[in-house]
């Protein structure tokens, strides 16, 4: 079945450092890919998405490019802030409306 | 506009009991999905409903059931609770039940089974 693998955390960075969180997927077709963010005590918020190969999703300084050849959708940000501390989930949606999530990566940003 | 609302926010139950969780979708949204998020893991799909009909079911035992009402709100029921059912239960709504219809999540119900 479909699956998503994320790099394990926690990832600890200093403010203004460069962020990469790796995500790879396995799917039979051509899924849409998503990054969601979860702040403490809250639900999931959609951060960005890409619906086809080579699409780049971007939002709030975060970006991710849909790479079909490497089945990857790595999340990047050039300069992280303390307020970016959260759990980040990579997910795919292939058929219907069902999301398949990775295990999540905790990001901690120190000032 | 109000987002997806879930109630209650927290719940403590004893093994063997049953529980009902409630979800109100964003106004105009006709599809509701339920996910279980165990601590330290990603959410797992439980059910999807669209126009009051079940459209998908994840790999969960029959102790889990759900329904959607004419006003598109939804209930998730879990019978014969086990310790392993302790989790954050997330509800998400979308305009349609179709692929690429973005999901909007509520803040969840934290269920603790003792």
């Amino acid at each position: 079945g479909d699956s998503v693998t994320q790099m394990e955390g926690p990832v600890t960075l200093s403010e203004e450092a460069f962020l990469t969180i790796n995500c790879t997927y396995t799917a039979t077709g051509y899924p849409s890919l998503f990054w969601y963010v979860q702040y403490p005590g809250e639900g999931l918020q959609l951060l960005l998405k890409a619906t086809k190969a080579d699409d780049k999703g971007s939002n709030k300084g975060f970006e991710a490019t849909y790479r079909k050849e490497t089945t990857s959708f790595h999340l990047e940000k050039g300069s992280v802030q303390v307020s970016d501390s959260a759990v980040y989930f990579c997910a795919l949606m292939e058929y219907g409306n069902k999301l398949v999530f990775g295990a999540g990566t905790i990001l901690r940003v120190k000032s | 506009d109000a987002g997806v609302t879930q109630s209650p926010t927290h719940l403590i139950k004893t093994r063997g009991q049953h529980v009902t969780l409630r979800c109100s979708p964003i106004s105009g949204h006709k599809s509701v999905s339920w996910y279980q998020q165990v601590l330290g893991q990603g959410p797992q799909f439980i059910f999807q409903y669209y126009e009051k009909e079940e459209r998908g079911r994840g790999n969960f035992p029959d102790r889990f059931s759900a329904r959607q009402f004419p006003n598109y709100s939804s209930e998730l029921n879990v019978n014969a609770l086990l310790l392993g059912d302790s989790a954050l239960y997330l509800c998400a709504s979308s305009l349609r039940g179709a692929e690429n219809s973005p999901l909007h999540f509520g803040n969840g119900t934290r269920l603790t089974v003792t």
Side-chain angles (χ1 to χ4, degrees):
Chain A
D2 296 349
S3 66
V4 175
T5 302
Q6 290 180 234
M7 67 186 287
E8 290 190 21
V11 173
T12 303
L13 296 172
S14 297
E15 212 165 17
E16 300 183 4
F18 184 85
L19 168 71
T20 299
I21 300 179
N22 290 338
C23 169
T24 58
Y25 67 90
T26 301
T28 52
Y30 301 97
S32 294
L33 301 174
F34 303 82
W35 277 100
Y36 280 84
V37 58
Q38 187 173 39
Y39 297 101
E42 297 185 11
L44 300 173
Q45 297 177 24
L46 177 63
L47 183 58
L48 53 85
K49 69 174 186 178
T51 58
K52 61 183 187 297
D54 300 325
D55 267 2
K56 178 185 281 188
S58 61
N59 185 26
K60 300 180 182 178
F62 291 90
E63 329 185 300
T65 301
Y66 190 142
R67 301 286 188 201
K68 191 174 77 169
E69 62 277 10
T70 54
T71 61
S72 65
F73 192 55
H74 304 322
L75 182 68
E76 296 180 336
K77 187 176 185 184
S79 176
V80 293
Q81 305 300 313
V82 172
S83 58
D84 293 327
S85 298
V87 184
Y88 291 81
F89 292 94
C90 184
L92 66 81
M93 181 186 288
E94 190 166 22
Y95 300 113
N97 208 224
K98 170 190 164 186
L99 285 167
V100 175
F101 287 90
T105 302
I106 297 172
L107 171 65
R108 297 183 180 136
V109 181
K110 304 179 300 184
S111 59
Chain B
D1 285 339
V4 176
T5 57
Q6 294 187 241
S7 62
T9 55
H10 295 83
L11 201 52
I12 299 174
K13 290 285 189 178
T14 303
R15 275 178 297 175
Q17 288 187 314
H18 72 271
V19 68
T20 297
L21 310 180
R22 295 178 175 83
C23 172
S24 293
I26 291 172
S27 177
H29 284 194
K30 298 182 178 180
S31 178
V32 169
S33 300
W34 288 95
Y35 287 78
Q36 181 196 63
Q37 185 180 11
V38 172
L39 194 63
Q41 298 181 21
Q44 299 282 319
F45 172 76
I46 310 175
F47 285 110
Q48 185 204 1
Y49 278 78
Y50 178 64
E51 289 280 16
K52 302 179 285 297
E53 292 191 3
E54 184 182 302
R55 286 295 186 89
R57 183 184 181 117
N59 188 23
F60 281 81
D62 290 345
R63 299 184 296 108
F64 288 76
S65 63
R67 55 181 175 167
Q68 187 177 31
F69 299 99
N71 66 353
Y72 302 109
S73 67
S74 177
E75 284 183 354
L76 175 70
N77 294 283
V78 187
N79 293 325
L81 285 166
L82 303 174
L83 295 178
D85 295 331
S86 295
L88 180 68
Y89 288 84
L90 294 165
C91 175
S93 75
S94 62
L95 199 56
R96 306 176 300 278
E99 184 180 337
N100 294 327
S101 183
L103 292 180
H104 300 263
F105 284 85
N107 285 340
T109 294
R110 172 74 62 188
L111 172 65
T112 302
V113 182
T114 62

